[in-house]
Amino acid sequence: MSIFSFFTLFGGLAFFMFGMSLLSSSLEKMAGGKLEKLLKKVTDNPYKGFLVGAIITIAIQSSSATTVMLVGFVNSGIMELSQTVGVIFGADVGTTLTAWILSLAGIQGNGNFFLELLKPVNFSMIFAFIGLLLFTAGKRQKTKDIGTMGLGFAILMTGMTMMSDSMSPLADMPEFADMMTIFNNPFIGVLIGTVITGIIQGSAATIGILQGLSMTGQITLGMAIPIIMGANIGTCMTAILSAIGVNKKAKRVAAVHVAIKIVGTVLWLIIFYGLELFFHFEFLNRNATTFNIAVFHTIFNVANTLVLFWFRNLFVKLAYKVFPDSEEEQELFLDERLMVTPGIALAEVQNSMDRMVSKTKANLDEATDMLLNGFKEETFEFVQKNEKKIDGYEDHIGAYLTKLTTTQHLSEEDKKKSTMILQGIGEFERLADHASYISKSVNELDEKKIRFSPDAQNELHRVISVCQESYTSAVEAYRTGNIELARKAEPLQNVIRTMCSTFKTTHVQRLADGTCTAVQGFVFNDLLYSCERIGDHSMNIAAIVLRMSAENEGSEKYLHDIKLRKDPENERMYDEFYNKYMK
C-alpha cells in the first residue's frame, strides 16, 4: 500500500464527511418548518416522541444533529427534558438507515443491469448529474436545495468508493492481517470505535470506514461488533460539545444522551460476551461485510431501545442528579445552535417575539390600570421588573435575528417574517418604556401625596381609555395580521393627539386659576406625553402590519404615506372615536 493510497483514503474520508454534511444541511433547509411542527407535537407521550425522533433523523440523516437540536430547544424553552428522551431513542433507531445506504457499496453486480445500477459508483453519478442540473438551472430555492441533496449524496458515495478502493491493497498485506488481530479484544474495539467517532463527530462516518475496511476481507464480525458499539459512545461527543455554554436544562439533554449510550453499550457488552463464553458464537469468525455490519448496527440500536426505553424516567432522574437545579437559572430566549436549521430558528425568534409582545401588553395594562385605580407597590415592582426583561428581549432578538439573516439563507416568506419582527421589536420596547414612565409617575403621585383635581382626573381617564384601545388594537393586529384592527390605529392616534393638545391647554388654565399646582402640572404633562407616544408607537406597529399585508406589499413609502394621505374611512373612524371619548 503506497503513500498515495493513504492520500486517497483521507481524501475519500473528506469527500464522505463533506457529502454527509451537504446532504444533511440541504435536508434540514427543506424540512425546517416541518421539523418545527413535528417537534411541537411532541408531548409527554414518549411513543410519539420516539416516532418523531426516528422520522427527523431519517430525514436529516444525523442523530447527532437531532440531539443538538434538542439541546437548543430545551435551552430556548420550547421543550422539557422529559419530552426529549423518546426523541433521543427514536434518533438512535433512525440513524441506522445511513448504514443500510452505505451497505450498497458491497453489492456485486455480476453483469446484471439492475444490480449494477444499485452500485454507488454507478447510480451516484446519476444523482450528481441531476443534482447539478437542478442546482444550476433551478430558479426556486427549494429546487436548488433538492439539487444540493443530490450532489451531497453523490459526493458521500464517491467518498465511500474512494475509501474502499484505497483500502483494497490491504487485503494482500500479511502485516495488516496481523495488526487487525488486536481488534479481537472487544475492549480495544470499543475504545477504537469511541475515539474515532469522538474525533470525527459522526458515527455514520465510523460505520462507513468500517464498511470500507470490510471489503478487504480482513475484518471479522468479532472485530467489527465492538467497534460498532464504541461508535455509539463516540457519537456523544457532538452532544457534549453542544452543551457547552447552555443552561442546566439543556445540559441534562446531553447527559441523558450520554447515559443511554454508555449504559446500553456496557449492558450489551456484558450480555453478548457473557453468552459467548457459553455458546461460542461461530459467526464471530466470519468475514464482516457491508451488509452484516448494517444488520448488527440496526440490531444493536433497536435492542438497546427495546430494553432501555422502559427505564427512560431513570435517565431523567440521573440527569437531574448530575445537573441539579440552582436557585437562579439564567433565562436564555434563543440558542445559536438552532441557526443550522433557519426555519426552526426563525420559529423560535417568533416565539420569543410573542413573549415580548405579551409582556409589553401586560405592562401597559398594569400601568394604565394603576393610574386609573391607584398606586400598588406589587404592581409597580412587576412593571419595572418586566420592563428590564423586555429590554433584554429587544437586545437578544435583534442581535440573534441580525445574525440569522446575514449568515443563513431564508425563504422569501421567512425574510418577510424577519423584517416584521426586526421592525416591531423597537416599537414594543418603546411602548414598554412608556408603561414604565406611567408607573413611575403614579409612584411619584403616591409618594408626594399629590391628588389631581376632578377635571384633571376625568381628562386622564378619557385619554388613558383611548390609549388602551389604541395599543390593544395594535398588539392584536400584530399578533394576528388583522388589517381591520390595524386601520384603527391612525384615527386613534389622531384622537389621542387632539385630546392631549386640548388637555394641555385646559391644564394651563387650571394652573392659572390656582386649581392645580406646578408640581401637579409637571406630572400631568409627563403622563400626556407618554399617552401621545403610546399612540405614535401603536400607529407604527399597525403600519408594519399594513405594509406587510398582501395588498400593500412592496410599497416602500407606505409607512410614510399612510400618515399623510386623506382617507374618508379614516376620517369617519376619527369622528367616531372623537365622539366616543371627547364628548
Side-chain angles (χ1 to χ4, degrees):
M1 187 173 180
S2 69
I3 187 65
F4 296 104
S5 295
F6 284 103
F7 290 164
T8 305
L9 172 62
F10 291 112
L13 179 61
F15 271 93
F16 180 91
M17 296 187 68
F18 177 70
M20 180 66 73
S21 175
L22 199 63
L23 175 64
S24 179
S25 62
S26 57
L27 283 166
E28 286 172 358
K29 286 181 182 178
M30 289 189 61
K34 295 177 182 177
L35 294 181
E36 168 71 10
K37 292 178 182 178
L38 272 175
L39 284 166
K40 281 187 178 294
K41 291 180 181 178
V42 177
T43 62
D44 291 327
N45 185 331
Y47 305 101
K48 186 184 291 185
F50 172 83
L51 183 62
V52 169
I55 291 172
I56 290 175
T57 305
I58 289 172
I60 65 177
Q61 288 293 291
S62 174
S63 61
S64 295
T66 302
T67 305
V68 169
M69 279 194 286
L70 292 176
V71 172
F73 289 145
V74 172
N75 194 51
S76 301
I78 187 176
M79 293 179 73
E80 294 296 327
L81 177 65
S82 58
Q83 295 174 302
T84 67
V85 182
V87 182
I88 291 172
F89 279 113
D92 290 344
V93 174
T95 193
T96 60
L97 178 65
T98 307
W100 285 103
I101 294 173
L102 298 177
S103 71
L104 296 174
I107 290 178
Q108 299 296 322
N110 297 324
N112 184 295
F113 173 78
F114 295 103
L115 289 177
E116 291 287 345
L117 189 62
L118 286 175
K119 296 177 69 174
V121 70
N122 296 322
F123 76 80
S124 63
M125 297 302 103
I126 298 174
F127 274 82
F129 181 71
I130 296 174
L132 183 62
L133 286 179
L134 293 175
F135 182 78
T136 55
K139 294 182 179 179
R140 298 176 59 193
Q141 186 60 41
K142 186 175 182 180
T143 305
K144 290 182 178 293
D145 288 338
I146 295 173
T148 305
M149 285 169 51
L151 288 169
F153 185 75
I155 294 171
L156 182 153
M157 282 304 186
T158 300
M160 182 68 182
T161 302
M162 290 173 63
M163 287 192 294
S164 301
D165 292 344
S166 70
M167 289 184 282
S168 58
L170 296 174
D172 302 321
M173 294 179 60
E175 297 85 358
F176 176 72
D178 293 338
M179 183 185 70
M180 293 306 295
T181 58
I182 66 171
F183 290 103
N184 285 320
N185 185 320
F187 299 104
I188 293 178
V190 170
L191 179 63
I192 293 297
T194 300
V195 171
I196 292 176
T197 307
I199 292 172
I200 61 181
Q201 292 187 44
S203 60
T206 302
I207 299 300
I209 293 171
L210 186 61
Q211 287 175 313
L213 276 172
S214 71
M215 294 182 188
T216 66
Q218 300 296 322
I219 303 291
T220 65
L221 276 173
M223 301 173 188
I225 287 174
I227 295 174
I228 294 171
M229 290 184 173
N232 279 272
I233 296 178
T235 194
C236 297
M237 182 57 66
T238 307
I240 292 170
L241 292 175
S242 73
I244 297 174
V246 298
N247 61 33
K248 287 186 179 179
K249 290 182 179 179
K251 283 184 170 66
R252 292 179 189 130
V253 178
V256 168
H257 180 70
V258 172
I260 289 172
K261 294 294 189 180
I262 292 178
V263 171
T265 301
V266 172
L267 174 67
W268 290 109
L269 273 172
I270 294 172
I271 292 175
F272 184 81
Y273 287 100
L275 292 173
E276 201 274 334
L277 289 174
F278 295 98
F279 297 103
H280 303 292
F281 299 133
E282 292 296 329
F283 66 84
L284 293 179
N285 296 317
R286 295 176 187 172
N287 285 342
T289 65
T290 58
F291 176 76
N292 58 32
I293 287 173
V295 169
F296 185 81
H297 184 55
T298 302
I299 291 174
F300 173 75
N301 282 283
V302 171
N304 203 38
T305 298
L306 287 175
V307 173
L308 299 184
F309 189 77
W310 307 107
F311 300 95
R312 57 189 178 275
N313 291 333
L314 292 179
F315 287 109
V316 173
K317 291 179 181 178
L318 177 62
Y320 275 96
K321 289 287 186 182
V322 176
F323 297 106
D325 282 321
S326 59
E327 294 183 1
E328 294 183 2
E329 288 288 341
Q330 183 181 8
E331 184 180 6
L332 294 177
F333 312 122
L334 297 165
D335 194 303
E336 291 190 5
R337 292 162 184 79
L338 300 182
M339 287 189 185
V340 295
T341 314
I344 292 179
L346 187 60
E348 284 309 290
V349 172
Q350 184 63 62
N351 289 339
S352 288
M353 186 64 189
D354 290 342
R355 292 194 289 270
M356 179 182 181
V357 171
S358 296
K359 290 180 183 296
T360 301
K361 173 68 162 50
N363 263 20
L364 287 165
D365 287 341
E366 294 293 345
T368 54
D369 180 73
M370 189 164 57
L371 177 60
L372 298 178
N373 299 308
F375 178 79
K376 295 179 182 177
E377 183 66 35
E378 61 273 17
T379 302
F380 176 76
E381 291 178 358
F382 170 83
V383 172
Q384 298 308 313
K385 185 176 180 180
N386 229 20
E387 200 274 331
K388 291 180 181 178
K389 290 182 179 180
I390 293 167
D391 286 343
Y393 272 97
E394 181 195 26
D395 294 339
H396 198 65
I397 292 174
Y400 186 92
L401 194 52
T402 299
K403 185 172 182 178
L404 177 65
T405 55
T406 54
T407 61
Q408 303 293 329
H409 169 79
L410 299 179
S411 66
E412 290 302 317
E413 182 64 25
D414 286 345
K415 287 179 182 177
K416 181 178 174 181
K417 290 179 182 177
S418 64
T419 299
M420 187 171 182
I421 295 172
L422 279 172
Q423 292 178 350
I425 53 176
E427 300 299 335
F428 281 102
E429 196 279 329
R430 298 293 92 75
L431 280 176
D433 283 344
H434 288 287
S436 175
Y437 298 155
I438 289 174
S439 70
K440 288 178 180 178
S441 293
V442 178
N443 182 41
E444 182 181 357
L445 291 172
D446 181 73
E447 287 180 346
K448 296 180 178 179
K449 307 300 181 184
I450 298 173
R451 296 290 181 269
F452 289 122
S453 66
D455 288 341
Q457 290 181 24
N458 177 265
E459 290 171 353
L460 283 175
H461 275 66
R462 284 195 284 172
V463 73
I464 287 296
S465 296
V466 68
C467 281
Q468 289 174 330
E469 181 166 359
S470 177
Y471 71 71
T472 300
S473 298
V475 166
E476 191 62 24
Y478 189 85
R479 283 173 168 167
T480 64
N482 189 310
I483 302 301
E484 296 306 314
L485 283 175
R487 285 178 176 151
K488 293 171 62 176
E490 184 182 8
L492 283 167
Q493 177 200 37
N494 289 330
V495 169
I496 292 171
R497 286 180 173 178
T498 300
M499 294 175 79
C500 288
S501 177
T502 301
F503 296 158
K504 285 176 184 177
T505 301
T506 56
H507 197 68
V508 169
Q509 185 61 49
R510 286 193 293 271
L511 288 171
D513 296 340
T515 307
C516 291
T517 65
V519 175
Q520 290 173 321
F522 289 134
V523 179
F524 189 83
N525 282 327
D526 287 342
L527 289 169
L528 291 183
Y529 173 76
S530 287
C531 289
E532 279 190 283
R533 299 305 294 153
I534 288 172
D536 292 342
H537 292 300
S538 297
M539 169 60 205
N540 292 341
I541 291 167
I544 293 170
V545 177
L546 291 171
R547 193 184 70 171
M548 291 297 169
S549 66
E551 62 186 82
N552 297 310
E553 191 173 0
S555 175
E556 297 296 331
K557 297 172 61 181
Y558 191 76
L559 276 170
H560 179 259
D561 292 347
I562 191 174
K563 299 179 181 180
L564 301 180
R565 68 184 184 204
K566 294 295 183 180
D567 188 323
E569 179 61 18
N570 280 359
E571 293 179 354
R572 185 197 66 77
M573 285 193 288
Y574 173 83
D575 291 338
E576 177 185 330
F577 293 131
Y578 183 86
N579 292 329
K580 178 180 179 180
Y581 292 107
M582 282 291 285
K583 294 184 178 179

